[in-house]
Amino acid sequence: MKKRVSILNDVIGPIMRGPSSSHTAGPWRIGRIVRDLLGENPGEVIFCFHPASSMAVCYHDQGSDLAFIAGILNRDLTDPDFPRMLEIAQSENIKVSFKLKAFPEADHPNSTLIEATGENGKKLTAHARSIGGGSIEIASINGIPVKITGDRYEMILILDPSIKGEDEEKLVTALKSWDKEAKRIVIASNVALYASSPIEPPADISDNPGVISSYLAKPILFPLKGKEAFKDTFELLNLAEREKLTLGEAALFYEESLLQMPATLLNEEMDARLRVMLESVKVGLTSKDLPMKLLTPTAWKVYESEKEGKLFVGGIHSHAAARALAVMHVNSSGGVVCACPTGGSAGVIPAILSTLIEDFGLDKKKVLNALWAAGAVGLALARRSTFAAEVAGCQVEIGAAGAMGAAAVIEAAGGTAKQACDAAAIVFQNIMGSVCDLVQGIVEIPCHTRNAALASQALLCADLILGGYENFIPLDETIDAVHSVGEMLPAELRCTSRGGLACCPSAQKLIRKDRNA
C-alpha cells in the first residue's frame, strides 16, 4: 500500500529555517508533537541519538538541537530567537540535554529517542524518525506502537487494569465511534487504546473513569480528510487526458480531493510558499555577508558577472544557477526558506520560478500552476520512495528538485502532463546514483553548486522534451530505479560525511565558522 501524501504537507514546504529539512523542520515537528503528547509544560527532556546514526554526526552542525528545543518550547521554527533556544529553555527552567546512546528502536538514520518529564511529573518516552523533507513519524509512545505523522488527531488511552469485560468494551465502542479503526494494544500488564482520525475527538473520551492516563496530539499539518484522486502517475496521466488537465491542474485537483479544501484556499497556501521562495532569492542575491560555516556568498558575483557580460555563455541558465546559489546561501546561514522538497534542495525550485517571472514575465496564476506541477512530481517520489538523502542519496533531494523543476518549466511552457512527467523522468535518469557527501557535515559543499546545476539542467531537460526527445522509461519506473540504487549506496555515501568529497584532504582542512566555535 502506497503512502498517503499531501503536496502542501509533504512536498512544497514546510517554510523553515535552514540548513536541512530532515534536521531542522523534522526535529521541530517531533518536538512540537512530543510537547502536545506530554500534555503539560516540560520540566526535563533528553534527546538520544544512536552513535552510528546520521543524526549523531550532524545534529549540532545542522541545528537539530535548536529545532528540537523550539518545538518543545512551542516556538515557531521561523522565530527570530531561534539561535537562542537553549538559552530560552534554561530561562524557563526546562532542562534539555542531548546524548549519544545505543537503543534497540533505532531503525532509521534519523531515529531519536526522547525521554520527557512534565513539570508535574508526567513521563513520556517516544521513538521518532525524521524521514525526509520535514516529514516525521513517531513510532512508539511508552513502548506502545503508534504511527503519528502530524496530519491527524492521535489519542492513546491507558486503561485501569481492573477495567475488564463489558466496562472495557463500552470504552472501546466509544472510541470506535470516533475512529472505527481504533486498536486495543496489550503492553506489559496494561491495556492501551490507540485511535487516530482527521476529525477532532469528543472532549469526554479521556475523562472516562476507566482511563488512568491519556495522551493527545493535535495535527500540525493539514488533516487528510478526503480521498486521493489518483494513486500513481499512470492514473494521474489518465485523469489529465480524460479531463483535459495540465499536470499543475491535476495536482491541484488531487489536493482539493485529499484535504477537502477549496482551490482558492489551496492557492493562497501555495502563494505563501512562493513568496518565501522569491524573498529567499532576493536576500541571497543582495547579501554579501551571510554567516555560512564554510563558504562566503558568491551568488551576487555570478549574477552581476553575467549582467556585465563576463561569463563565457551566460544567459537564462546562468540566471537560474545564480538564483539557486542565492537561496542556498540563505539556507546555510539559518535563514528562512521553503523546503522543496527538502532544505538541502531548497534552491532549485525558487530559482526556476524566479527565472520564469523575471526572464519570461509569467503572471502569478501561471507560476502557481507551475509550482503545483512540480508538486505532482514530488508527490510521485514521496509515495514510492523518500526525500531523505540518509536513505537514498542526493538523487532524492537535489535530484528530485531538478525533476520537479523540469515539470514546472513544461507547465509554464504550455506542455502536456505527459511531457512534464517525461522531463522529470530524464532529470532523475541523469542524476541517478548521486551520493550525499556533504563536507564536514554541513549543507554547503557540494550542495550549493548541485542546486545551481540542477536548476540549469531542469531548463535543459524541459527543452529536450519540448524539442522532440522521447522518453521510454516512465516516471514511476524511473523513481523505483532511483530508490533501488539509493538502497545500494553504502552508508558512507548517504549523508554521514564519511565518503566522497567529505574525505578529501582539502575538504577536511577547510576552516569552519561555527556558531559555537
Side-chain angles (χ1 to χ4, degrees):
M1 183 177 179
K2 301 300 182 186
K3 294 175 282 189
R4 279 164 56 86
V5 180
S6 157
I7 293 172
L8 289 175
N9 283 351
D10 306 304
V11 181
I12 310 294
I15 295 171
M16 53 164 275
R17 282 192 178 275
S20 164
S21 48
S22 290
H23 297 97
T24 52
W28 179 86
R29 287 175 170 176
I30 290 169
R32 177 66 184 77
I33 292 172
V34 165
R35 182 188 175 109
D36 221 7
L37 287 165
L38 192 59
E40 60 184 57
N41 292 331
E44 181 177 10
V45 186
I46 303 170
F47 297 94
C48 304
F49 311 122
H50 195 285
S53 70
S54 171
M55 189 68 81
V57 173
C58 58
Y59 79 90
H60 179 69
D61 285 328
Q62 298 204 26
S64 305
D65 46 2
L66 300 179
F68 276 122
I69 297 171
I72 286 292
L73 294 177
N74 198 22
R75 296 286 194 111
D76 288 341
L77 188 56
T78 56
D79 192 313
D81 287 330
F82 183 77
R84 298 180 52 249
M85 286 300 152
L86 183 56
E87 178 185 335
I88 292 170
Q90 292 171 343
S91 71
E92 295 184 10
N93 297 316
I94 301 172
K95 183 179 179 181
V96 180
S97 58
F98 298 86
K99 298 182 179 180
L100 301 186
K101 170 185 173 181
F103 53 94
E105 297 92 342
D107 55 1
H108 188 279
N110 287 334
S111 279
T112 305
L113 191 71
I114 303 108
E115 300 168 352
T117 303
E119 62 180 1
N120 297 317
K122 187 174 183 180
K123 292 187 178 296
L124 174 74
T125 298
H127 168 222
R129 317 177 186 101
S130 177
I131 58 175
S135 296
I136 61 98
E137 294 175 349
I138 295 181
S140 67
I141 298 295
N142 293 348
I144 300 167
V146 297
K147 189 176 182 181
I148 299 175
T149 56
D151 56 13
R152 301 168 73 84
Y153 290 89
E154 313 276 355
M155 177 176 283
I156 301 166
L157 305 178
I158 310 299
L159 304 190
D160 186 327
S162 66
I163 300 298
K164 302 291 183 183
E166 185 176 337
D167 290 334
E168 181 183 326
E169 286 304 315
K170 287 181 180 178
L171 187 55
V172 172
T173 300
L175 198 61
K176 283 185 176 291
S177 67
W178 169 58
D179 170 26
K180 63 181 180 181
E181 297 181 355
K183 298 176 182 178
R184 180 180 184 275
I185 302 169
V186 178
I187 180 74
S189 60
N190 282 353
V191 170
L193 302 179
Y194 170 51
S196 173
S197 172
I199 308 300
E200 187 171 2
D204 59 349
I205 286 182
S206 61
D207 295 333
N208 190 289
V211 177
I212 58 173
S213 62
S214 64
Y215 303 88
L216 174 66
K218 300 176 182 178
I220 57 174
L221 305 171
F222 294 113
L224 310 185
K225 296 180 179 179
K227 296 182 179 180
E228 298 160 299
F230 45 80
K231 297 295 179 64
D232 54 28
T233 304
F234 178 77
E235 289 188 8
L236 182 162
L237 292 177
N238 282 342
L239 170 69
E241 183 176 3
R242 183 174 66 251
E243 302 296 331
K244 309 299 182 188
L245 302 175
T246 66
L247 185 63
E249 291 167 343
L252 179 57
F253 177 76
Y254 170 93
E255 202 77 350
E256 282 184 271
S257 176
L258 183 64
L259 301 185
Q260 294 292 287
M261 292 171 61
T264 51
L265 184 55
L266 292 172
N267 271 320
E268 287 178 10
E269 292 290 339
M270 191 63 89
D271 187 37
R273 289 153 171 77
L274 175 61
R275 291 197 301 271
V276 170
M277 291 181 184
L278 298 179
E279 179 64 18
S280 64
V281 173
K282 179 181 176 181
V283 170
L285 285 178
T286 56
S287 300
K288 301 181 181 181
D289 59 352
L290 290 170
M292 294 183 280
K293 290 186 172 69
L294 296 175
L295 297 172
T296 55
T298 54
W300 66 274
K301 290 183 180 180
V302 176
Y303 197 73
E304 289 186 7
S305 293
E306 196 285 329
K307 289 196 295 184
E308 295 168 3
K310 295 179 179 179
L311 305 186
F312 185 65
V313 178
I316 289 172
H317 289 264
S318 296
H319 295 175
R323 288 164 178 149
L325 270 181
V327 176
M328 292 310 295
H329 293 347
V330 174
N331 183 66
S332 292
S333 65
V336 176
V337 297
C338 180
C340 191
T342 69
S345 61
V348 177
I349 300 298
I352 289 170
L353 299 179
S354 178
T355 299
L356 292 175
I357 294 169
E358 298 296 332
D359 293 82
F360 293 93
L362 259 67
D363 61 28
K364 177 66 71 65
K365 180 179 179 181
K366 288 185 178 179
V367 173
L368 286 176
N369 283 344
L371 194 45
W372 282 111
V377 173
L379 175 70
L381 177 66
R383 277 207 183 107
R384 309 179 77 90
S385 182
T386 176
F387 292 135
E390 298 88 345
V391 176
C394 191
Q395 56 184 359
V396 296
E397 291 204 27
I398 304 175
M404 293 164 63
V409 174
I410 294 286
E411 179 81 14
T416 66
K418 183 179 184 306
Q419 285 178 316
C421 289
D422 283 342
I426 62 173
V427 173
F428 271 129
Q429 291 161 20
N430 293 345
I431 203 71
M432 189 178 296
S434 179
V435 304
C436 181
D437 53 350
L438 62 176
V439 170
Q440 296 189 18
I442 298 168
V443 186
E444 293 185 17
I445 303 170
C447 316
H448 287 215
T449 55
R450 285 183 184 165
N451 271 263
L454 264 296
S456 177
Q457 187 179 152
L459 294 165
L460 172 63
C461 288
D463 269 350
L464 289 176
I465 294 297
L466 291 171
Y469 176 79
E470 187 174 356
N471 171 51
F472 288 96
I473 304 176
L475 178 60
D476 283 352
E477 290 184 32
T478 299
I479 289 172
D480 290 345
V482 164
H483 186 81
S484 176
V485 168
E487 290 186 325
M488 295 177 191
L489 294 173
E492 290 81 1
L493 300 178
R494 289 185 278 125
C495 205
T496 58
S497 298
R498 295 171 182 150
L501 291 176
C503 291
C504 292
S506 296
Q508 295 176 348
K509 290 178 183 177
L510 286 169
I511 298 173
R512 301 163 56 141
K513 297 165 278 189
D514 291 324
R515 57 182 161 88
N516 291 323

